[in-house]
Amino acid sequence: MSEVMASALDLESLRSFQVAAQLGSLGAAAQQRHRTTSAISMQIKRLEEVLGTRLLERGPRGVTPTAAGEALLQESRELLRLHDGMLSRFTGRGLGGKVRLGLPEDYARELLVDVLPDFIARHPDVLLEAVTATSGELARQLTRSQLALAVVLDRPHPLPGGVSLWRTTPVWAGPRVGRLTERASIPLALHEVDCPYRELAVEALEAAGTPWHAVFTSTSIHAVEKAVEAGLAISVIDRERLTSAMRELGRDEGLPPLPPCEARLHVGKRIEEASRPAVEALAALLRERLHERGPWRAAPRST
């Protein structure tokens, strides 16, 4: 019996490991978990001893998961999700209310996979509704109090306030084969109006005096990407979304540079008191998972 107990995984140590791996810093994890840095370090050391393998590589710039750490990060997330959901259902201590969350369509897939299932498991009594739209439309819905919480890029309609989550890296994306930039007018695949990357593309080309025309317009990021992969057009997308059928374009192809954008978390101004604790809990989870690293780390895009 003592040998079984000695090899058991401590759930709180798993939580500390997850936060440290996500934030890339023991100090940041300590702040997030309301513990000392040495306490976080000891928890992770005990995990490594139980599992017989190194989970984090320590360096001057912080910590990064090893291959074993990456595997544990994924599996422990599911374990904690099941544990928290069961505890909430049996104890009745879960949060309630309703939360309407707005997400940019470009990042919805990663956020849905990485963040929202954990929140639902922890708080099964919360009625969570996630909606996707362009950042411009999400900004309007926030000002109309139609959303309790939203992740919004700081273009084309910057909102005051909010908490910085991560900086995006928009790039020119073209098909792997073809020289579309050598045409008299650049063919573009674009989102509808109110999309930050549409605004970046149009502003950059017009400032450079480069002729362009839209050959494909869609509200779907996946449709825009397919248009690029098929060789119909070039577009502006996040560098993390480049696939093996695309290549990054730039100055060598005569295209102007693109500035970064920032993803910020905004909370609605009018929230029902019964729902406020749930809104605050989801906001805290989003900050924990997305601060600086964005949605890509735990849910890498396949190519």
Side-chain angles (χ1 to χ4, degrees):
M1 180 69 175
S2 60
E3 291 181 1
V4 174
M5 292 300 293
S7 61
L9 293 175
D10 176 65
L11 295 183
E12 290 307 305
S13 294
L14 283 175
R15 294 188 201 279
S16 294
F17 163 71
Q18 280 197 342
V19 175
Q22 289 285 343
L23 298 181
S25 165
L26 296 181
Q31 185 176 10
Q32 181 76 40
R33 298 277 291 149
H34 303 290
R35 288 171 169 79
T36 64
T37 302
S38 61
I40 297 293
S41 180
M42 285 300 299
Q43 285 182 317
I44 294 172
K45 183 178 179 180
R46 284 196 294 269
L47 274 181
E48 292 177 329
E49 290 174 350
V50 169
L51 295 175
T53 185
R54 182 178 294 277
L55 300 173
L56 295 176
E57 294 289 353
R58 280 77 165 174
R61 295 188 177 182
V63 296
T64 56
T66 62
E70 289 283 4
L72 181 64
L73 192 62
Q74 299 298 325
E75 295 190 29
S76 63
R77 183 169 299 142
E78 181 62 21
L79 173 63
L80 292 172
R81 180 183 302 162
L82 291 172
H83 169 271
D84 292 343
M86 181 176 66
L87 183 65
S88 178
R89 286 191 296 274
F90 278 88
T91 63
R93 293 200 297 264
L95 300 176
K98 181 177 181 179
V99 180
R100 195 164 190 263
L101 168 68
L103 303 172
E105 201 264 341
D106 293 24
Y107 303 97
R109 175 184 176 276
E110 286 72 24
L111 294 173
L112 290 172
V113 169
D114 183 39
V115 180
L116 300 190
D118 279 5
F119 179 80
I120 292 171
R122 296 181 190 184
H123 310 292
D125 294 329
V126 175
L127 299 177
L128 175 64
E129 179 186 1
V131 299
T132 65
T134 62
S135 287
E137 175 58 27
L138 293 175
R140 279 193 292 272
Q141 291 190 30
L142 271 170
T143 58
R144 297 170 185 161
S145 298
Q146 295 173 328
L147 296 173
L149 202 61
V151 178
V152 180
L153 299 190
D154 59 355
R155 299 170 64 101
H157 303 297
L159 289 172
V163 176
S164 175
L165 293 178
W166 77 92
R167 287 171 72 83
T168 74
T169 309
V171 298
W172 295 104
R176 177 62 62 183
V177 179
R179 302 291 178 183
L180 299 182
T181 55
E182 295 178 359
R183 299 182 182 181
S185 176
I186 301 293
L188 294 183
L190 300 168
H191 283 297
E192 299 284 354
V193 295
D194 289 335
C195 169
Y197 290 173
R198 176 193 177 101
E199 182 177 273
L200 285 179
V202 172
E203 283 186 356
L205 291 175
E206 292 189 346
T210 303
W212 66 273
H213 65 285
V215 297
F216 185 81
T217 303
S218 174
T219 58
S220 167
I221 179 60
H222 303 292
V224 169
E225 290 171 349
K226 288 299 181 185
V228 173
E229 292 176 338
L232 294 177
I234 69 171
S235 188
V236 172
I237 65 174
D238 196 301
R239 178 176 285 141
E240 297 284 354
R241 298 195 69 95
L242 288 171
T243 70
S244 58
M246 302 177 188
R247 63 190 181 99
E248 183 177 338
L249 308 176
R251 293 184 183 276
D252 290 345
E253 291 79 21
L255 293 172
L258 298 168
C261 291
E262 186 175 61
R264 301 184 69 82
L265 179 64
H266 294 268
V267 179
K269 294 183 178 180
R270 284 186 282 180
I271 300 172
E272 294 182 2
E273 285 304 313
S275 299
R276 187 171 295 279
V279 172
E280 292 174 351
L282 180 54
L285 183 61
L286 289 166
R287 291 195 299 269
E288 172 190 319
R289 291 288 175 83
L290 304 177
H291 180 61
E292 292 186 354
R293 296 176 181 270
W296 306 105
R297 178 174 179 77
R301 177 173 171 78
S302 59
T303 57

